[in-house]
Amino acid sequence: MKPRIIVCGLGPTGYKIFCLLRQQGASVVGIDDQRIPGENDDVVTGDVKAAATLKAAGIHEAHTLVLAGKDEALNLAILTQARVLNPRIRIINRLFNTSLGDRLDKILPDHVTMSVAALAAPVFAFAALGNKAIGQLRLFNQTWPIHEVHIHENHPWKGRKLSELWDDRSRMLIYYMPVNGQIDLVSAVVCGQLLQEGDRLIIGTQPSVRNHRQPSIQKLLKIFTNLRQFKQHGQALAVITIVLFLTVFTGTLTYIFTNVQTSFIDALYFSVGMISGAGGNEKVAENAPDSIKLFTIFMMLVGAATIGIFYALLTDFVLGTRLKQFWDAARVPARNHYIICGLGGIGVQIVNQLHCHGHEVVVIEKDPNNRFVNTVRSSGVPVILGDASLSANLKAANLQKADALLAVTSDDMANLEIALTAKGIMPKLPVVVRNQDPHFASTVQKVFEFESVLSPTELAAPAFAAAALGGRILGNGITGDTLWVALATMITSGHPFCGKRVKEAAMDADFVPLYIETKSQTIHGWDVLETALGAGDILYLTMPATGLEQLWRVTPAQVLAS
């Protein structure tokens, strides 16, 4: 019997998860506080955190509860109520706060934290790097892009045996869709199937790490050599500093020429004391003519105003935002970098993804009080505070020499304006745009010829659906109406795969083995196919979500995360 799944919170993401689960044949019920047009039988309307509403949705008999709303406090309230009613229910919880999520995962049994931003950001990053990813796969502590390969007339793989592509550690074969007939990937590999025109492959590729970041010494030298940025951020301070020195210099020379017996040091000492208000060595002016005393009074007034303005500007530059702006502007890479416009949940995750793989990144953020600004700066990424739709700010980020721009603010129209401004400056620059409406996204991409227009909801919803169906998910992808899932399953004595050779189990169940972890080793490549699965082994595999019913015959504790 298929497990009963409840999706709570049918906003854009929640409703997409609900539809995907129903499309995959799951027994699913939705809960929302508002009526969903066209949905009557499978949607319960009411207070989502109320016990009565959860009972009406069948919380006592449910196997999994997906908390898909974006209000994290509300999700936690529903979680506690659900666990009171059904202590054994498995919960998929949407949280952006990963530290809180980690604590909940450790404390609560059968609790899985997932984040829309964390799931969508790698695909945005892959798009900026030039990969047309349809999903992602988490293997060997790296996030691998999943993409679909169409074998066309001139494709280099046309006519090659699938077995030649099997044993490659930098590439994982996920699934095979032949143009003629039906055959699973493992059977096609074993029998030496030739790739034909029209065949399609789902493949995961190992990401490369860029290792040519500038050394710290070079970055420091660039700051001193890039003094043109000081004109914008420190011009006022520089001007008032020059005025202050000229004032001191003028006073010093005046007192020397008035009394040639006054030394330069005495005149300088008196001038600085007079202008700063500290006083000292007043004998320089005491015996001077009345004109010099009037000059001294004038210099005191001018000096007091000058020194006041100087201290104010210096304090603002050092303790305010101007020094940070100057520091960021001076550190902007000269070329081959990625510009992230918008430092929200998606933006900060993209920054981390690209930065961790060795790519130079620049952020343009409109809100100086954004909570992620200091976090990003602390990791060495420069932040330009300003409106990214203005060409001056894009040019300050060296748009002309950038590898790509990502417009990922929370405002779809702002993202479109940023992208068009960037294209107006650099028509051939790859641009990746965030858009919440997946249907509008596809038309925008075609009309304006952007590199990619991606919807976080479309990217993240399949992972939530996959997690609801089969435990903690290593990765997922979707092509057409088919949802592909990567997961790790522990082989127990009662598992349907226990005692079988992987090759036989894969052919019967239509899954693709990635690798096996035993108590003593990790098995890859051809050896995986000939290995007999035993209790305690962990099998990493990919399969269609519709085939996960075969894993429902085991307890949820047997489906693990890496």
Side-chain angles (χ1 to χ4, degrees):
M1 180 180 177
K2 295 180 179 180
R4 186 176 180 85
I5 301 170
I6 299 175
V7 179
C8 194
L10 300 182
T13 303
Y15 189 67
K16 179 66 178 178
I17 296 168
F18 175 79
C19 293
L20 278 172
L21 287 168
R22 189 164 55 183
Q23 180 181 296
Q24 302 305 314
S27 175
V28 59
V29 176
I31 299 178
D32 200 70
D33 56 2
Q34 297 181 357
R35 184 178 176 276
I36 307 297
E39 300 286 354
N40 296 316
D41 298 334
D42 297 329
V43 175
V44 176
T45 304
D47 184 354
V48 292
K49 64 179 182 293
T53 307
L54 293 170
K55 289 178 181 178
I59 191 71
H60 292 299
E61 302 81 23
H63 173 276
T64 301
L65 173 65
V66 181
L67 302 175
K70 61 182 180 180
D71 186 335
E72 298 186 354
L74 180 59
N75 287 345
L76 291 176
I78 301 169
L79 182 155
T80 55
Q81 185 63 262
R83 276 293 169 91
V84 169
L85 297 173
N86 184 350
R88 296 183 302 276
I89 194 168
R90 184 166 169 271
I91 294 178
I92 312 297
N93 194 356
R94 176 183 175 182
L95 288 175
F96 178 78
N97 189 333
T98 54
S99 59
L100 174 60
D102 290 341
R103 294 188 183 97
L104 290 173
D105 290 346
K106 292 176 182 178
I107 294 172
L108 299 177
D110 293 325
H111 180 278
V112 180
T113 299
M114 301 183 74
S115 164
V116 170
L119 291 166
V123 182
F124 277 86
F126 295 144
L129 295 171
N131 293 318
K132 302 291 184 181
I134 62 171
Q136 55 179 300
L137 180 64
R138 187 71 182 174
L139 290 177
F140 311 118
N141 296 318
Q142 287 185 304
T143 302
W144 298 36
I146 298 175
H147 58 276
E148 187 174 357
V149 175
H150 293 261
I151 306 300
H152 51 76
E153 182 180 1
N154 300 318
H155 198 283
W157 290 355
K158 181 184 176 183
R160 289 185 65 181
K161 293 182 179 180
L162 267 170
S163 56
E164 296 177 12
L165 307 175
W166 176 256
D167 197 9
D168 188 339
R169 299 289 179 86
S170 65
R171 180 174 57 232
M172 289 286 184
L173 299 184
I174 305 298
Y175 217 74
Y176 173 52
M177 293 159 284
V179 65
N180 297 316
Q182 290 186 347
I183 185 172
D184 64 272
L185 177 59
V186 173
S187 297
V189 169
V190 171
C191 71
Q193 177 94 350
L194 297 177
L195 287 169
Q196 305 176 45
E197 184 178 346
D199 287 353
R200 292 184 296 160
L201 284 169
I202 306 297
I203 294 177
T205 53
Q206 186 176 21
S208 60
V209 178
R210 205 170 181 179
N211 291 316
H212 64 265
R213 281 196 196 144
Q214 294 179 342
S216 299
I217 295 178
Q218 290 186 15
K219 290 182 178 180
L220 190 61
L221 288 174
K222 185 176 71 173
I223 291 172
F224 287 108
T225 56
N226 200 9
L227 291 178
R228 64 184 177 84
Q229 299 294 346
F230 187 82
K231 181 178 179 181
Q232 177 183 357
H233 299 283
Q235 188 175 32
L237 179 61
V239 169
I240 199 65
T241 302
I242 293 172
V243 170
L244 180 61
F245 277 107
L246 287 176
T247 304
V248 172
F249 184 70
T250 302
T252 302
L253 291 181
T254 301
Y255 295 122
I256 290 175
F257 290 140
T258 301
N259 187 353
V260 293
Q261 294 182 352
T262 303
S263 68
F264 176 79
I265 298 300
D266 287 339
L268 178 63
Y269 182 67
F270 175 70
S271 297
V272 172
M274 170 191 65
I275 291 172
S276 64
N281 205 20
E282 286 82 359
K283 64 180 182 180
V284 172
E286 282 179 354
N287 300 321
D290 290 343
S291 58
I292 297 301
K293 291 180 179 179
L294 291 173
F295 172 78
T296 301
I297 294 171
F298 175 77
M299 291 297 290
M300 285 180 177
L301 297 174
V302 172
T306 304
I307 203 75
I309 296 172
F310 173 78
Y311 282 143
L313 291 175
L314 182 63
T315 302
D316 177 64
F317 189 84
V318 175
L319 300 180
T321 61
R322 290 184 178 273
L323 182 60
K324 292 180 180 178
Q325 292 175 14
F326 165 64
W327 182 261
D328 284 330
R331 290 188 301 161
V332 171
R335 61 181 60 85
N336 303 126
H337 56 285
Y338 295 86
I339 302 173
I340 315 296
C341 302
L343 200 56
I346 298 286
V348 72
Q349 294 284 355
I350 296 171
V351 170
N352 292 337
Q353 178 81 13
L354 292 171
H355 188 66
C356 288
H357 284 82
H359 299 282
E360 297 279 3
V361 180
V362 178
V363 172
I364 303 178
E365 168 55 41
K366 191 174 183 178
D367 181 10
N369 298 316
N370 183 289
R371 57 176 173 162
F372 298 120
V373 168
N374 290 331
T375 302
V376 168
R377 277 176 170 158
S378 65
S379 65
V381 174
V383 179
I384 297 174
L385 295 175
D387 188 344
S389 63
L390 300 178
S391 58
N393 290 327
L394 292 175
K395 290 178 180 178
N398 288 336
L399 179 77
Q400 295 89 334
K401 299 293 183 179
D403 279 351
L405 177 139
L406 298 94
V408 291
T409 73
S410 57
D411 186 335
D412 289 350
M413 290 300 101
N415 291 336
L416 181 59
E417 184 179 2
I418 292 167
L420 291 175
T421 303
K423 279 290 188 181
I425 300 172
M426 290 293 295
K428 294 183 178 181
L429 178 74
V431 173
V432 179
V433 182
R434 172 186 177 181
N435 195 287
Q436 295 292 352
D437 187 343
H439 303 293
F440 183 57
S442 60
T443 56
V444 166
Q445 183 172 353
K446 291 177 183 177
V447 171
F448 298 110
E449 299 182 350
F450 297 140
E451 187 74 10
S452 293
V453 181
L454 303 172
S455 167
T457 295
E458 287 290 301
L459 297 174
F464 279 86
L469 290 171
R472 290 182 184 261
I473 300 301
L474 305 176
N476 65 275
I478 189 165
T479 174
D481 292 331
T482 306
L483 174 63
W484 314 99
V485 179
L487 69 156
T489 180
M490 177 179 284
I491 307 301
T492 63
S493 57
H495 197 287
F497 299 159
C498 187
K500 289 187 177 182
R501 284 197 304 168
V502 172
K503 179 168 61 177
E504 297 168 354
M507 292 178 180
D508 292 341
D510 192 20
F511 71 80
V512 179
L514 301 176
Y515 62 97
I516 301 171
E517 285 184 354
T518 68
K519 295 179 180 178
S520 58
Q521 61 179 328
T522 301
I523 304 172
H524 301 268
W526 289 106
D527 294 336
V528 170
L529 298 179
E530 300 300 329
T531 300
L533 292 168
D537 293 345
I538 299 178
L539 173 62
Y540 292 78
L541 58 90
T542 63
M543 66 191 310
T546 51
L548 288 172
E549 186 175 356
Q550 297 176 74
L551 300 179
W552 293 339
R553 287 178 280 170
V554 299
T555 61
Q558 291 170 345
V559 181
L560 306 177
S562 63

